[in-house]
């Protein structure tokens, strides 16, 4: 399912790129209508252009295809659920973290966010890559209370035992000599993941 979603989003991103490439041709046609005073034809052309444009939510948040695909998917989910979704991401296409690992990190952190049922929900994602370090933070409104197992892992809200999603993120961070920090305070849930280029 993840692979199908990933491929679908890549196709949509390519559609958006083609639409951007065709803009100059549309401008030439509209300029001709304007120069010849054919305003009705111009209005109709603008209408058809608007109807044929790809979904405006398909924005390129970052250059990394895997991370961007996941961010786009959750952007669409947030839009349809009235969630304030703020993204500031710099993840290059060529990076030491594999595409599957990036997908798991970003996907699991954002998947946990969408379970919040409070009003005025907000999700803020920040990602940066500097000095061989990938840092991803996801903050979201949170009205619940975190519970921990005896081993210090967060208890899942879906089943008995620790949460598989957060545990997967912790395992990936550890593989890249990094850390994963999760905490809830002041009505917010804060998740931070740091991965280093030098692996253990």
């Amino acid at each position: 399912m993840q692979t199908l979603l990933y491929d679908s989003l890549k196709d949509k991103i390519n559609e958006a790129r083609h639409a951007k490439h065709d803009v100059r041709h549309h401008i030439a046609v509209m300029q001709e209508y304007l120069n010849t005073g054919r305003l009705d034809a111009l209005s109709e052309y603008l209408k058809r252009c608007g109807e044929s444009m790809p979904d405006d939510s398909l924005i390129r948040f970052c250059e990394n295809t895997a991370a961007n695909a996941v961010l786009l998917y959750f952007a669409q989910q947030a839009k349809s659920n009235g969630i304030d979704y703020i993204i500031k991401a710099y993840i290059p296409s060529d990076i030491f973290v594999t595409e599957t690992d990036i997908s798991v990190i970003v996907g699991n952190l954002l998947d946990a966010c969408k379970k919040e049922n409070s009003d005025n929900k907000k999700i803020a994602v920040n990602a940066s890559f500097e000095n061989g370090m990938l840092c991803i933070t996801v903050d979201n409104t949170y009205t619940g209370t975190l519970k921990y197992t005896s081993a210090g892992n967060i208890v899942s809200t879906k089943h008995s035992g620790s949460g598989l999603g957060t545990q997967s993120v912790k395992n990936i961070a550890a593989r890249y000599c990094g850390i994963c920090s999760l905490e809830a305070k002041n009505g917010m849930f804060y998740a931070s993941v740091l991965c280093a280029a030098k692996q253990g």
Side-chain angles (χ1 to χ4, degrees):
M1 290 176 66
Q2 288 176 330
T3 301
L4 289 172
L5 170 64
Y6 178 58
D7 290 340
S8 173
L9 286 172
K10 283 199 297 185
D11 290 340
K12 289 182 180 179
I13 290 169
N14 285 331
E15 287 176 12
R17 284 178 175 168
H18 287 303
K20 182 179 179 181
H21 178 266
D22 293 340
V23 165
R24 67 178 185 274
H25 303 303
H26 295 310
I27 291 174
V29 173
M30 290 186 287
Q31 188 66 55
E32 178 61 22
Y33 284 143
L34 187 63
N35 291 342
T36 56
R38 298 168 62 192
L39 299 184
D40 289 343
L42 174 59
S43 178
E44 181 61 27
Y45 190 79
L46 285 169
K47 180 182 177 182
R48 290 201 306 272
C49 284
E51 291 171 350
S52 66
M53 291 296 285
D55 187 342
D56 63 1
S57 65
L58 296 177
I59 303 167
R60 176 158 287 274
F61 291 113
C62 66
E63 293 302 314
N64 187 278
T65 305
N68 197 65
V70 177
L71 290 170
L72 283 169
Y73 171 74
F74 281 98
Q76 292 174 325
Q77 295 288 305
K79 183 177 181 181
S80 37
N81 287 286
I83 300 172
D84 190 10
Y85 189 70
I86 303 165
I87 303 295
K88 184 178 180 182
Y90 169 65
I91 306 177
S93 56
D94 185 18
I95 193 171
F96 64 93
V97 182
T98 67
E99 287 193 335
T100 52
D101 285 344
I102 287 179
S103 298
V104 171
I105 291 172
V106 179
N108 276 315
L109 294 181
L110 285 171
D111 189 52
C113 295
K114 73 178 184 182
K115 298 178 179 66
E116 171 61 24
N117 294 317
S118 64
D119 295 330
N120 302 316
K121 289 189 287 186
K122 174 183 176 181
I123 299 173
V125 180
N126 278 278
S128 62
F129 179 64
E130 267 186 90
N131 302 318
M133 304 284 280
L134 174 65
C135 180
I136 301 173
T137 66
V138 178
D139 306 335
N140 69 282
T141 46
Y142 183 72
T143 55
T145 302
L146 293 182
K147 295 180 181 179
Y148 297 87
T149 65
S150 57
N153 297 318
I154 294 176
V155 173
S156 173
T157 57
K158 294 180 179 177
H159 54 77
S160 60
S162 59
L164 298 177
T166 54
Q167 192 56 51
S168 292
V169 174
K170 286 184 176 182
N171 291 341
I172 291 172
R175 284 209 309 271
Y176 291 96
C177 298
I179 58 171
C180 173
S181 171
L182 307 167
E183 65 172 334
K185 61 180 181 181
N186 303 324
M188 294 290 291
F189 182 79
Y190 300 97
S192 303
V193 177
L194 184 67
C195 296
K198 185 179 180 181
Q199 298 183 35

